[in-house]
Amino acid sequence: MLKIVLLSFVLLAPSVLAKFRFDNYTLYKILPKNGQIKLLQNLYEHDSRFDFWTNPGRADFVSVMSSPENKAHLENLLHKNNVQFEITMGNIQEAIDKEPIKRYTRGNLRSMQFDAYYTNSEINAWMDDLAREYSFVTPIIAGRSFEGRQIRGIKISHGSRRKIIFLEGGLHAREWISPATVCYITHQLLTSRDPEIMAAARDFDWYIIPVTNPDGYIWSHDEFRMWRKNRRPVGQHFGVDLNRNWNSNWLVAGSSIDPSTEIYAGPGPFSEPETRTLSAYLRTIGDRIDLYLSFHSFGQLLLVPFGNSTAPYANYHDAVNIGRRAMGALSVRFGTQYVTGNIVEAINYYGTGGTIDWIKEHLKVPLVYCYESRDRGQYGFLLPSDQILPNGQETMDSVVDMIHQARRFGYMTGN
Ligand SMILES: *[C@@H]1O[C@H](CO)[C@@H](O)[C@H](O)[C@H]1NC(C)=O
Ligand SMILES: *[C@@H]1O[C@H](CO)[C@@H](O)[C@H](O)[C@H]1NC(C)=O
Ligand SMILES: [Zn+2]
């Protein structure tokens, strides 16, 4: 009896813990001038009261969330230093309450829609259904998480050992538009009648992982919407930033050894099962990957390696040229503007230990990009329903054009 009581307490405990509410939390869009960024970087690195939604680089804006208790402090500091800012969301909980979370019904492919967000288990159920529906879709397991979940995805392959396009999403838990975009691209590859998309789907082996940080993604759905890292417990704190944990210039810049920060790099390179197992998986197919796309949000940027320096690598100029053209194609449908560049150039903030740097350095993949999707600080991670599908559509346009441009530059022609 006692056992049952204890067991049910343990089982009930997580739901007894109420979901964290962001009532009256405020999102600021700060527009620092030259010389004012240091102030924000100081705050970023030394004051964990504020949640920076973007890196405080010299980019044209910095997004910061404040709790109601700390608003006055932040605003006073900004006023005192003459830093221009606007409030883009006055009550973050209100935006969270409006988020379009739809249900996926196993066995019903039509119940996956592309103007909404889905949970990890729903995305997995959908992928299972795709594998059942299409003979050329196979489930893949690309690793496992700290809490022991599989990092799951699918492969779309119309023939054996074609060159690979790898799509990776959801490494940062709260960036929900990332798995949504990856799912939309997948859907297009499987259902579109557009000849260019059909050719792209046939010409390559597509390896697609919508959620590479399942523990964090689940946590962001169930407990704390603004969760970014994985869920490793570290003393009093939780989570390693999985985009700072890769074994490429680990802890060199833009990351921290303080586990209370959002950019905690972990106790060592590849200390986390997510990055360790995913990188091991990638190594097994690395020589066949022609194009690697990592999906994050937000800021409307297309980033290329590396995060340690602006020095161009061997085919950097090609990569940037191809990227810029693809972003031109992205802008056609809705006018959405992206900036393309090296991590340091584009956001003017050094950040190392990230996925794309490792992919470039260790797997020598010819073309490696990271999308920082919509928007530019209006809604940030809480991109509303009416932007989810458009973000997917314009991104798909850009991926198709990227393949086209890459070929013009002599890449991706190997099959
Ligand atoms: C949020 O702010 C409003 C207006 O100042 C206030 O009436 C309300 O009680 C606050 N809500 C919470 C949960 O703090
Ligand atoms: C940046 O990192 C890359 C990959 O490790 C390396 O090849 C390059 O030399 C580094 N650049 C600088 C300036 O440290
Ligand atoms: Zn991210």
Side-chain angles (χ1 to χ4, degrees):
M1 189 60 190
L2 183 64
K3 246 186 208 157
I4 292 170
V5 170
L6 280 176
L7 184 65
S8 61
F9 176 75
V10 171
L11 290 175
L12 283 174
S15 53
V16 168
L17 252 170
K19 203 181 217 179
F20 187 91
R21 291 186 59 85
F22 291 86
D23 294 299
N24 292 349
Y25 276 60
T26 302
L27 184 63
Y28 292 89
K29 181 171 180 172
I30 302 173
L31 308 157
K33 295 196 187 67
N34 276 345
Q36 296 183 328
I37 197 69
K38 209 70 222 134
L39 174 81
L40 295 172
Q41 286 174 348
N42 251 328
L43 211 57
Y44 183 48
E45 282 155 17
H46 305 292
D47 198 332
S48 55
R49 282 180 295 181
F50 301 106
D51 183 2
F52 279 74
W53 287 16
T54 63
N55 291 315
R58 209 193 308 126
D60 41 1
F61 72 92
V62 180
S63 287
V64 182
M65 177 177 76
S66 173
S67 66
E69 298 77 46
N70 295 318
K71 277 182 63 171
H73 176 79
L74 180 63
E75 290 181 18
N76 286 339
L77 188 71
L78 295 173
H79 280 308
K80 210 171 67 198
N81 289 278
N82 270 317
V83 184
Q84 210 187 320
F85 67 92
E86 53 191 80
I87 288 176
T88 64
M89 279 192 282
N91 182 356
I92 289 190
Q93 187 59 43
E94 225 168 67
I96 292 174
D97 292 340
K98 281 193 208 133
E99 278 196 297
I101 298 174
K102 292 189 180 166
R103 296 266 76 91
Y104 181 73
T105 313
R106 196 179 273 278
N108 178 7
L109 284 174
R110 281 164 196 272
S111 63
M112 175 62 76
Q113 285 162 30
F114 299 94
D115 58 357
Y117 300 117
Y118 292 86
T119 64
N120 183 63
S121 57
E122 287 169 315
I123 293 171
N124 285 341
W126 175 66
M127 291 195 296
D128 289 341
D129 289 341
L130 292 178
R132 238 173 268 128
E133 179 80 9
Y134 300 97
S135 58
F136 47 88
V137 172
T138 9
I140 54 177
I141 297 165
R144 76 180 158 77
S145 70
F146 180 83
E147 292 174 348
R149 294 186 176 86
Q150 292 175 334
I151 297 176
R152 298 188 45 195
I154 54 166
K155 176 170 81 170
I156 301 175
S157 176
H158 289 272
S160 69
R161 295 189 69 78
R162 284 173 158 84
K163 288 299 182 95
I164 293 170
I165 299 179
F166 200 99
L167 309 182
E168 162 247 300
L171 193 67
H172 282 149
R174 61 193 178 180
E175 300 166 9
W176 286 7
I177 191 62
S178 160
T181 305
V182 172
C183 289
Y184 179 75
I185 294 170
T186 307
H187 173 72
Q188 284 294 298
L189 290 170
L190 294 173
T191 63
S192 174
R193 298 256 146 233
D194 178 306
E196 250 192 310
I197 295 178
M198 291 168 77
R202 290 193 161 270
D203 289 350
F204 296 91
D205 280 355
W206 292 77
Y207 282 67
I208 302 172
I209 321 277
V211 182
T212 42
N213 173 14
D215 301 350
Y217 188 67
I218 290 170
W219 196 256
S220 72
H221 273 266
D222 293 350
E223 303 293 341
F224 190 88
R225 176 64 185 85
M226 292 311 152
W227 196 257
R228 165 181 166 100
K229 303 183 283 182
N230 76 351
R231 289 293 302 163
R232 169 191 288 279
V234 194
Q236 310 267 66
H237 304 285
F238 280 89
V240 171
D241 183 346
L242 297 177
N243 208 25
R244 299 289 186 280
N245 188 244
W246 294 68
N247 189 15
S248 171
N249 295 311
W250 180 78
L251 204 60
V252 168
S255 46
S256 172
I257 52 163
D258 176 356
S260 74
T261 65
E262 294 293 352
I263 49 172
Y264 173 50
F270 285 152
S271 58
E272 301 314 290
E274 290 86 352
T275 51
R276 196 170 58 240
T277 56
L278 180 58
S279 63
Y281 182 81
L282 285 162
R283 272 193 195 284
T284 66
I285 52 170
D287 57 338
R288 283 201 291 137
I289 305 176
D290 262 1
L291 173 64
Y292 187 99
L293 301 179
S294 177
F295 291 88
H296 285 255
S297 76
F298 55 95
Q300 293 170 207
L301 304 167
L302 184 74
L303 304 175
V304 302
F306 288 93
N308 63 331
S309 137
T310 51
Y313 50 87
N315 69 334
Y316 163 89
H317 293 288
D318 285 355
V320 167
N321 276 324
I322 293 164
R324 290 218 171 102
R325 287 163 197 230
M327 294 306 101
L330 184 148
S331 72
V332 170
R333 200 185 277 260
F334 302 110
T336 311
Q337 299 295 321
Y338 272 59
V339 171
T340 302
N342 156 293
I343 295 172
V344 180
E345 290 168 342
I347 53 185
N348 216 278
Y349 188 82
Y350 291 83
T352 62
T355 318
I356 63 168
D357 283 10
W358 185 85
I359 302 287
K360 189 68 190 167
E361 183 184 346
H362 291 270
L363 301 185
K364 314 264 188 268
V365 170
L367 297 171
V368 184
Y369 298 95
C370 173
Y371 280 81
E372 295 281 356
S373 292
R374 290 192 189 194
D375 58 9
R376 290 180 30 86
Q378 181 64 42
Y379 299 100
F381 304 125
L382 301 169
L383 203 63
S385 177
D386 62 353
Q387 291 201 52
I388 300 173
L389 181 59
N391 184 81
Q393 291 169 319
E394 68 198 9
T395 304
M396 186 69 205
D397 295 342
S398 74
V399 171
V400 170
D401 192 65
M402 192 179 273
I403 296 167
H404 173 68
Q405 298 297 341
R407 285 176 165 154
R408 294 183 54 199
F409 280 76
Y411 296 86
M412 305 183 79
T413 55
N415 285 320

